[in-house]
Amino acid sequence: MNKTIQLQDLGNRDYKSTWEYQEELFKGIVDLKIQNRREETNLPTPNYFLFVEHPHVYTLGKSGDLENLLLSEKQLEAKGAVFYKINRGGDITYHGPGQIVGYPILDLENFFTDIHKYLRFLEEAIILTLAEYGVESGRSDGETGVWLGVGTPFARKICAMGVRASRWVTMHGFALNVNADLGYFDNIIPCGIRGKAVTSLNVELGVEKVDEEEVKDKILKHFTVLFENQFVQK
């Protein structure tokens, strides 16, 4: 079991090229697993964790409803945004500047073979990170991601999640609003859930800007405790 994870910070990068890169890493792990089974070898499979910030983009999961995008093609163009239908779970979401996006591309057979546990651990890493800023967050029954004010009329989502897994290899991941322009969420029904707001860490703290590098460090710290892994920078 290889619990080393190669960490890559891609900076600000186009969604489509990042998606293609994810697919390339994902396929490399799956192909190696198939080779191990076919040739009865036991070559260690790699794991990756990508941090990235995307230009304005809306993505729709494979089970999502296109009606949850409230913009026409022309309106998308006017807002400097693009749209993709993709192969993760979940409905529609937004990515853009001021948002920390994390894509763990892991062979879960190096950790544990439980997708439910994997999602809960991703949520927990974010919940523990927000707690370090004095922000109490949690889970909402039946709604993957991290929420504030659960069970109150002021419930609001701060972190969206959507993953794909095949042969116990994961891709896609989470998007945490840190300094996000929340106006872009007005153009969708986020995750297909009506009547619930979206928030960002800087809004909750009442500050103009939160140090995103500091937030990343905290996420990685909690991720390491939960997954018992070691990160190596690439």
Side-chain angles (χ1 to χ4, degrees):
M1 290 169 61
N2 174 26
K3 290 199 170 191
T4 298
I5 301 177
Q6 297 179 41
L7 175 64
Q8 300 177 36
D9 194 326
L10 305 180
N12 190 295
R13 183 162 165 169
D14 167 73
Y15 186 87
K16 188 170 187 295
S17 68
T18 308
W19 182 16
E20 289 168 350
Y21 183 49
Q22 278 196 81
E23 291 278 13
E24 178 187 320
L25 297 177
F26 177 89
K27 184 177 185 299
I29 300 173
V30 170
D31 287 350
L32 182 54
K33 295 185 77 167
I34 292 170
Q35 178 188 327
N36 277 338
R37 181 165 295 185
R38 186 178 61 239
E39 299 178 6
E40 297 184 354
T41 52
N42 195 27
L43 299 171
T45 51
N47 307 288
Y48 306 92
F49 189 114
L50 311 179
F51 271 133
V52 66
E53 181 182 78
H54 293 304
H56 301 297
V57 60
Y58 296 99
T59 69
L60 184 70
K62 58 188 176 182
S63 58
D65 186 344
L66 187 56
E67 290 188 5
N68 291 325
L69 175 64
L70 308 178
L71 296 174
S72 67
E73 274 189 42
K74 280 188 178 179
Q75 289 170 318
L76 274 170
E77 192 176 322
K79 289 187 175 291
V82 292
F83 169 77
Y84 295 106
K85 186 157 188 177
I86 62 173
N87 59 353
R88 60 162 170 78
D91 205 284
I92 198 163
T93 196
Y94 159 79
H95 299 310
Q99 189 182 68
I100 292 175
V101 178
Y103 296 132
I105 306 168
L106 311 180
D107 179 2
L108 288 182
E109 289 192 301
N110 287 325
F111 301 93
F112 47 77
T113 49
D114 186 331
I115 295 296
H116 179 81
K117 180 178 178 179
Y118 172 67
L119 285 167
R120 302 295 80 78
F121 272 18
L122 288 186
E123 291 167 345
E124 190 67 16
I126 301 301
I127 289 167
L128 293 170
T129 296
L130 294 173
E132 290 203 52
Y133 291 91
V135 175
E136 184 179 345
S137 61
R139 300 173 179 85
S140 180
D141 287 347
E143 297 169 340
T144 301
V146 178
W147 298 75
L148 278 58
V150 175
T152 76
F154 307 106
R156 53 214 184 274
K157 194 170 200 173
I158 195 167
C159 183
M161 293 188 182
V163 304
R164 175 193 173 199
S166 176
R167 295 180 182 265
W168 296 113
V169 181
T170 68
M171 63 179 289
H172 300 297
F174 64 85
L176 174 63
N177 299 329
V178 178
N179 299 302
D181 181 346
L182 298 178
Y184 277 82
F185 286 96
D186 294 338
N187 305 312
I188 59 173
I189 300 170
C191 304
I193 303 168
R194 293 181 182 273
K196 288 193 178 177
V198 177
T199 191
S200 184
L201 182 56
N202 66 321
V203 172
E204 296 298 324
L205 296 178
V207 298
E208 186 176 342
K209 188 170 177 62
V210 176
D211 184 338
E212 291 173 31
E213 294 306 313
E214 182 184 81
V215 176
K216 289 177 188 176
D217 288 343
K218 293 181 187 301
I219 291 170
L220 294 176
K221 177 182 71 175
H222 295 299
F223 191 98
T224 299
V225 172
L226 291 163
F227 286 84
E228 300 177 342
N229 70 281
Q230 177 185 2
F231 282 111
V232 292
Q233 192 89 34
K234 185 176 178 184

